[in-house]
Structures are given as structure tokens and as C-alpha cells.
Amino acid sequence: MENTVETKTFRDYRTTLRALSDGASLFTKKATMLLKATWPLILFVSILGAWLSRSTVGVLGDFIMGTTMEMSDFGLKIGVPALLYAFGMILFYSLVFTLFALYIEKGFLPTIKRKTYLLCPKITKLGRFCVCLLWVLFVFVVYVGLAAILFTVSRWTLILTIPILIILDFWLMNQCIDYVLISDSLMSSIKRSFRITLRGLGSFITVAIVLWLILSVIGFLCFLPSITAETIFVKAQISIAEGDSGILPGYFSPIYFGTLVFSNFLYLLLLAISLSCWCMVYGAVDTRLRIKDSEKFAHQS
């Protein structure tokens, strides 16, 4: 998105659909520049995701084969890659927030360059994103505690936790955006985002449905190569467990891992676009509510 007269800033949007559309075009129109600047980090996280997927399917294959596993082996095969992948995803989302913060600051996405010895441009939103994750973890611990208390009263009272969980998901997502990109303090972001989430709940539900459909359909296409490879691997393990002596060719393993990396890479790009869309919609809802409040105040005066 170039810095032209037609370019809208983060505070200029009012309608949800326009914000959703331009949120997607913000990153797609600068795709070449962004990939040149960020591909090493995205590839690194994709490799971690492929490692986790390969380890998970490998453990599943061991169960199919009847191989006994100790908890320490399970931790090494699943726990270690899961922790590293979680760390990589924190870096990835912090990078996306950093890029979107540049758009908010300048009104357009400037040219971004990466030094040759760095995986990506400097991530300025890592600290705030980590603080927000700790807050999200705390809120969910409280929520689980509340659900446990309600369960001791009656199983039917757990129905009350379903709408609470839906609103909680929207609020925490918006609160993270508000704190990382807009507000100065965590407490101010909590109050602002909660008010905006409740008043603009219809817009966020619409966006969630649209993004879910897009992520489901395009995400399935992204993972189709890896799903095919994983299906071949699992069927081969089942055949071996049933006494079939057939063994997959030696070149299958690198191809299998390569498809996992490729699928994860594409899906990370899709996640970046969807986060950009949600951030833009949050700004549009905030702007729309500000205008309504100012008009109401002017009318009362």
C-alpha cells in the first residue's frame, strides 16, 4: 500500500467490510518486499512447525507399530519441538504486530529491509506481546477455575461458560491488539478493548466467521500436500504393523519433510494476513464508536 492520496490511515476506516478488505491488501500488495525482509524467520518457524508435525505423526506411527514409549521419550519427541514452535510463533506474531505498527505510525507500509546477518527486521513489539500473553494466560486460568466451580454446582451450569468463553476470546484478541499497538498501559487497554468488544460484538462475530471460512478453505489447500504425505506415511506404518514387508523409498522422508515446511510457510503467510485484517477491523470499530460518541455528546450539548 503506497503513500498516496487514496491511502487511508488506521483511524480513517468506519465500515467493517472495507477495513477487512484493505487489511488483506495491506500485506498482499507489498508481498514481495515483505517476503524479502522476513522470509528467513518465517522459514525458521515453518521448519519448527514441520518438525513438530513430523514428530507427532512419528509418535502416532510408534503407537500403531506397538512400540512402548517412556514419558521421557514422549517429552523429547513432542514436548521439545512444541516448546520451540511456540517460541517461534511468538516471534512470528510479534513481527506481524511490528509491521502493522509501522502502518499505524506512517499511514502506509514503508519499505522494509533486512540486514544480511539477521533473520528479520528488528522486532519492536516482542516485549509487549509477551506481557499480553501472560495476561491472557492468567485470564484463562481464572476462567478454568470458574468453570470448575460451576461444575461442582451442576453440570448444566457449564452452559453459562460457553457465551462467556466466546466473548472472552474476542475480548482477549482485541485487548492484545489494543495493548501492543495503541494503548500506553495494560490497564487502559483492558478497559478500552472490553468496551469496544461489547459495543462492536456484531462486527467481530462477522469478521470471525469470514476469517474462519477463509482459513478453513485456503488453509486446507495449503496443508493438502502435507496431508497427502502424512496419509501415505501412516498407511505405510499400518501396513508394516499388519505384516506387510513394503517399505517406503528412501527419498520419501526428505520429500515428506519438505511438504510439511512448504505447507507451514504458506499457512503462516495466511495467518499474517488474517491478523492484519482483524487489526484493521478493530481500528474501524473504535473509530466508528468514537464518532457516535462525539455526535451524541454534541447533540446533548
Side-chain angles (χ1 to χ4, degrees):
M1 185 175 291
E2 299 292 340
N3 183 18
T4 63
V5 178
E6 292 79 12
T7 299
K8 287 189 175 183
T9 64
F10 184 64
R11 295 297 186 186
D12 290 337
Y13 290 92
R14 299 186 188 182
T15 62
T16 300
L17 292 180
R18 181 61 188 274
L20 187 64
S21 174
D22 282 13
S25 64
L26 178 66
F27 280 4
T28 55
K29 287 185 177 180
K30 291 287 188 177
T32 302
M33 179 268 293
L34 292 174
L35 282 176
K36 287 182 179 179
T38 62
W39 72 264
L41 176 63
I42 299 177
L43 180 61
F44 172 70
V45 179
S46 300
I47 292 174
L48 293 177
W51 180 23
L52 176 60
S53 299
R54 177 65 180 85
S55 299
T56 302
V57 176
V59 170
L60 177 62
D62 291 337
F63 280 121
I64 293 175
M65 296 292 293
T67 305
T68 57
M69 293 183 59
E70 300 291 337
M71 288 301 298
S72 57
D73 296 333
F74 183 81
L76 288 175
K77 290 185 177 181
I78 301 295
V80 173
L83 288 175
L84 292 176
Y85 181 64
F87 172 72
M89 289 301 294
I90 291 174
L91 291 178
F92 169 75
Y93 277 113
S94 299
L95 174 63
V96 177
F97 276 122
T98 299
L99 298 176
F100 197 85
L102 292 176
Y103 163 71
I104 295 178
E105 177 185 352
K106 299 180 179 297
F108 64 99
L109 199 58
T111 301
I112 302 167
K113 296 183 179 180
R114 173 183 55 85
K115 295 183 180 180
T116 56
Y117 57 87
L118 293 177
L119 286 176
C120 64
K122 183 179 179 181
I123 300 177
T124 60
K125 299 300 181 180
L126 178 59
R128 279 182 166 261
F129 184 63
C130 289
V131 171
C132 195
L133 285 181
L134 292 176
W135 164 251
V136 170
L137 179 62
F138 169 76
V139 172
F140 271 109
V141 169
V142 174
Y143 170 80
V144 172
L146 175 62
I149 294 174
L150 292 176
F151 180 76
T152 58
V153 176
S154 172
R155 294 180 181 179
W156 296 105
T157 56
L158 287 177
I159 298 176
L160 298 175
T161 64
I162 297 176
I164 295 176
L165 180 61
I166 295 174
I167 296 176
L168 195 65
D169 288 337
F170 289 141
W171 170 48
L172 290 176
M173 180 66 184
N174 292 336
Q175 190 268 322
C176 187
I177 292 173
D178 197 290
Y179 177 65
V180 175
L181 298 175
I182 302 173
S183 296
D184 295 329
S185 65
L186 182 64
M187 289 304 300
S188 62
S189 70
I190 292 172
K191 296 177 182 178
R192 274 173 39 84
S193 61
F194 186 73
R195 177 181 61 85
I196 293 173
T197 300
L198 291 182
R199 296 182 63 184
L201 188 60
S203 296
F204 296 122
I205 291 176
T206 301
V207 174
I209 294 174
V210 171
L211 291 181
W212 179 79
L213 291 174
I214 294 174
L215 288 175
S216 298
V217 176
I218 303 181
F220 174 77
L221 296 177
C222 291
F223 279 104
L224 188 58
S226 61
I227 292 174
T228 303
E230 287 173 347
T231 302
I232 295 173
F233 177 79
V234 172
K235 285 187 175 181
Q237 295 297 99
I238 294 175
S239 298
I240 294 175
E242 292 176 348
D244 191 346
S245 59
I247 300 176
L248 291 172
Y251 59 80
F252 177 79
S253 292
I255 293 178
Y256 174 28
F257 192 79
T259 57
L260 292 177
V261 174
F262 177 73
S263 296
N264 277 275
F265 191 92
L266 293 180
Y267 194 68
L268 287 178
L269 298 180
L270 186 61
L271 288 179
I273 295 172
S274 64
L275 181 58
S276 172
C277 292
W278 194 281
C279 291
M280 197 78 84
V281 170
Y282 181 78
V285 174
D286 185 20
T287 300
R288 190 163 63 241
L289 294 177
R290 285 173 179 267
I291 294 173
K292 287 183 179 179
D293 291 341
S294 62
E295 290 177 349
K296 182 179 180 181
F297 179 77
H299 179 73
Q300 291 177 349
S301 300

